[in-house]
Amino acid sequence: MNSSELGAIVGVGEFDPKADVNLSSRMEMARSINDLFQRCQVSPAETAKPELWAWLTVTLFDRLKTLKGKSSGAFAIWYPESRWTRFYRHVLYGPWRVYRLHSNEPELVQPLLHGKVTSHGEFFEQIAAYQELAQSPGVLGAARALYWNEEKGELRRGHAAKGEHSDATGSVRRFSAIVQQLALTWDISDISADELLELLPTEFDRWKS
Amino acid sequence: MPRLNFTGRKRIRREDAQVNLSAIGNGSYKPELALNLTPYDFPSSAKIRLELINREMLWRRGFGSIATPGFKGPSVISGLSADAPLYARLKVVDSSSGTAKILGLMRKVRVFGRIAPGQGAATQSFVEVMTEDLGQQVWRLELPDDDNEAPVLLVNKHIEQARTMATDPLFRSVVMPVVLEKVLEGILVESNFRKFDEDSVWSRILQFAERLSPADAVRQLPDGTIDQSDVRVAKDWIQDTVRAWAVQHEFASHFDSNWNRGQK
């Protein structure tokens, strides 16, 4: 993206990320970026360009660096890399993209966008890394049913367990792996959350309660 | 080598599901499908789904049914960039029982975007070559998670003649053996010897490697873990394969002659 293309976006009168992007949480950040793009009519072709996201990151960096969180110094988090396998990890793009896909049903992405802006999180990593999972309302609905504590407004304890021990059964890592296997047989883009929950093996039963 | 994977679905051959994009202006395209699904004997009520996938989107539309194929609503796709190759995937889905079971699948095939950057750039037999801003790195290898996507050799676009560098004998002789080694390690070892479809890109890469250096099967234990001795066997085989490939292409000889020419 050259300076004139970028200028065509940032030159739009109301496009002021410093003022308009809410960094109180990842959900609010994603929502406010989406609102900003819609208000300024930023096109899909423009939002697909890494240069726009690099510019946004630089513009917001003074605010981002003051936020607490467990972000690593991984390059892909701060500079948008070209392939999806890394692009989704960008601190701004990843959450916005997931929110944009489900902006009509934002509650679906509550588990994915829970937490601080600079905290990537195992849940996000296991779901957002795979386009087919991140785009499926059924998958997100099933994940929300399993791992989201509606009363507390947070992810359920133990969802991110790893390793071979029994506590790791039914974890979001296992959920992601199992759903990818199921996707070989079932069209998970079309499946409902309830149908997917029915297909999951018994290790997930304790999460369904 | 490990093989997968029979779930009961039928593999739709590429020649039976041709997907093309017609430009309609302003960076927008309309997908066009030419299907020959009669040989697969799908139920007439089965639904057809087209998916177009690139680095930042998964675009999906219904294409009617086996009995009445065709787009029923808007089917224009916008915002495509030649820098982000687009792949098509076709699914035939049984909707009769309520849950969408896949009856037939055409794995991802490229339908848009450059295979290699610009004119004259190389397409290696097991890796795609693309240019990208890599800072001070000259090249980098990326191995996708999807076993039907080719590994990508990224070459720094700020280097003069980056687009043809991958064909340069000096570059090839130094870099490509390392690339092959990393690709095979990624496919076999780093993926924990996971199984993938016989007709996938990764499977074809392994077949290419097996032609260079015949291999005994490496094992995945029943509980999904890997026997460490198999890792050593696999790595030894990879080294043998790279060595055989280097002999075939005389990399050391090419390096010697091109290096010395450059020194004069």
Side-chain angles (χ1 to χ4, degrees):
Chain A
M1 181 182 282
N2 59 37
S3 58
S4 63
E5 288 172 312
L6 189 55
I9 298 175
V10 305
V12 176
E14 294 176 54
F15 195 87
D16 184 3
K18 284 186 178 177
D20 294 332
V21 176
N22 182 338
L23 297 181
S24 61
S25 69
R26 274 152 50 104
M27 178 68 106
E28 289 308 314
M29 176 192 71
R31 190 198 312 269
S32 57
I33 291 177
N34 198 56
D35 290 346
L36 184 62
F37 283 166
Q38 286 190 327
R39 191 168 72 243
C40 299
Q41 298 181 318
V42 180
S43 73
E46 286 156 345
T47 60
K49 293 183 178 176
E51 293 87 345
L52 171 64
W53 295 96
W55 174 82
L56 271 173
T57 308
V58 170
T59 303
L60 295 170
F61 189 72
D62 283 347
R63 294 173 60 200
L64 286 168
K65 70 181 183 183
T66 63
L67 300 175
K68 292 179 182 177
K70 294 182 180 178
S71 71
S72 71
F75 190 68
I77 290 177
W78 300 103
Y79 185 83
E81 297 200 31
S82 63
R83 293 176 67 80
W84 176 265
T85 48
R86 292 177 186 266
F87 205 2
Y88 80 95
R89 302 190 75 206
H90 186 258
V91 63
L92 303 177
Y93 176 83
W96 167 79
R97 183 66 187 153
V98 165
Y99 181 89
R100 172 73 182 88
L101 287 169
H102 304 283
S103 55
N104 292 334
E105 288 183 277
E107 65 276 9
L108 281 179
V109 298
Q110 271 180 309
L112 279 170
L113 300 184
H114 174 66
K116 300 181 178 68
V117 168
T118 49
S119 293
H120 199 57
E122 176 73 356
F123 198 95
F124 187 86
E125 181 69 31
Q126 292 302 325
I127 304 290
Y130 306 99
Q131 283 178 301
E132 203 170 1
L133 270 61
Q135 291 206 198
S136 166
V139 171
L140 297 185
R144 191 176 193 283
L146 291 172
Y147 304 112
W148 184 248
N149 185 322
E150 191 69 50
E151 278 183 23
K152 294 183 178 180
E154 61 185 26
L155 288 162
R156 293 174 66 181
R157 189 178 176 82
H159 74 276
K162 300 177 188 178
E164 302 297 326
H165 55 83
S166 60
D167 287 349
T169 58
S171 67
V172 67
R173 179 178 287 255
R174 286 285 298 156
F175 175 80
S176 177
I178 297 290
V179 171
Q180 289 177 69
Q181 281 295 308
L182 290 172
L184 296 175
T185 306
W186 311 96
D187 188 8
I188 62 167
S189 298
D190 245 359
I191 206 168
S192 72
D194 287 341
E195 288 167 342
L196 181 56
L197 289 169
E198 282 291 310
L199 291 174
L200 294 175
T202 55
E203 70 178 274
F204 293 91
D205 286 352
R206 68 185 179 104
W207 295 93
K208 293 179 184 177
S209 56
Chain B
M1 289 300 153
R3 295 286 184 262
L4 190 73
N5 157 18
F6 196 66
T7 61
R9 71 172 188 266
K10 295 178 183 176
R11 181 174 75 89
I12 299 172
R13 292 184 299 269
R14 193 179 299 194
E15 55 266 31
D16 292 330
Q18 309 262 352
V19 181
N20 293 299
L21 296 181
S22 296
I24 58 176
N26 292 324
S28 296
Y29 295 80
K30 186 170 172 58
E32 293 173 343
L33 275 72
L35 301 179
N36 173 29
L37 299 180
T38 304
Y40 302 92
D41 201 25
F42 295 125
S44 59
S45 60
K47 305 291 186 193
I48 303 169
R49 305 264 187 256
L50 173 67
E51 295 175 347
L52 298 175
I53 304 147
N54 71 7
R55 68 170 178 233
E56 73 108 39
M57 72 167 187
L58 194 166
W59 181 98
R60 182 182 155 87
R61 291 294 185 274
F63 193 72
S65 67
I66 293 296
T68 53
F71 289 118
K72 299 296 185 282
S75 60
V76 173
I77 183 169
S78 304
L80 296 183
S81 162
D83 290 329
L86 190 72
Y87 298 85
R89 180 167 60 204
L90 193 84
K91 295 176 180 174
V92 174
V93 176
D94 176 18
S95 57
S96 61
S97 60
T99 307
K101 185 173 182 181
I102 299 174
L103 301 176
L105 176 71
M106 180 185 75
R107 298 292 297 267
K108 281 195 258 184
V109 293
R110 179 192 292 270
V111 295
F112 183 84
R114 297 178 299 195
I115 292 176
Q119 290 76 34
T123 301
Q124 305 295 333
S125 57
F126 57 89
V127 67
E128 294 183 3
V129 182
M130 299 175 68
T131 58
E132 188 167 292
D133 180 356
L134 297 179
Q136 284 298 315
Q137 281 183 281
V138 176
W139 65 273
R140 188 171 76 218
L141 178 70
E142 289 199 347
L143 194 68
D145 289 328
D146 189 321
D147 60 8
N148 208 40
E149 281 190 44
V152 177
L153 173 62
L154 297 170
V155 176
N156 195 327
K157 71 179 185 181
H158 297 299
I159 295 175
E160 194 177 327
Q161 297 181 336
R163 295 183 175 192
T164 56
M165 189 158 61
T167 59
D168 179 85
L170 198 58
F171 181 90
R172 289 192 75 229
S173 60
V174 173
V175 172
M176 294 313 296
V178 178
V179 169
L180 178 60
E181 181 179 354
K182 285 181 174 295
V183 166
L184 292 177
E185 283 186 356
I187 288 174
L188 276 179
V189 181
E190 289 175 23
S191 66
N192 282 331
F193 301 93
R194 71 178 166 94
K195 299 176 180 180
F196 33 86
D197 273 352
E198 224 172 86
D199 61 345
S200 66
V201 170
W202 289 16
S203 187
R204 291 202 294 274
I205 292 174
L206 285 180
Q207 290 164 26
F208 156 74
E210 285 172 332
R211 288 195 292 273
L212 291 167
S213 175
D216 296 327
V218 293
R219 300 181 300 130
Q220 187 177 45
L221 295 173
D223 62 359
T225 59
I226 306 300
D227 188 297
Q228 284 304 308
S229 63
D230 291 327
V231 173
R232 288 193 294 274
V233 167
K235 288 188 173 181
D236 287 345
W237 171 78
I238 291 170
Q239 289 298 321
D240 289 342
T241 304
V242 172
R243 198 172 300 122
W245 195 53
V247 167
Q248 187 181 83
H249 289 272
E250 300 180 309
F251 283 137
S253 301
H254 286 300
F255 176 85
D256 192 22
S257 58
N258 283 276
W259 176 260
N260 286 322
R261 189 182 310 139
Q263 296 296 306
K264 291 174 185 168

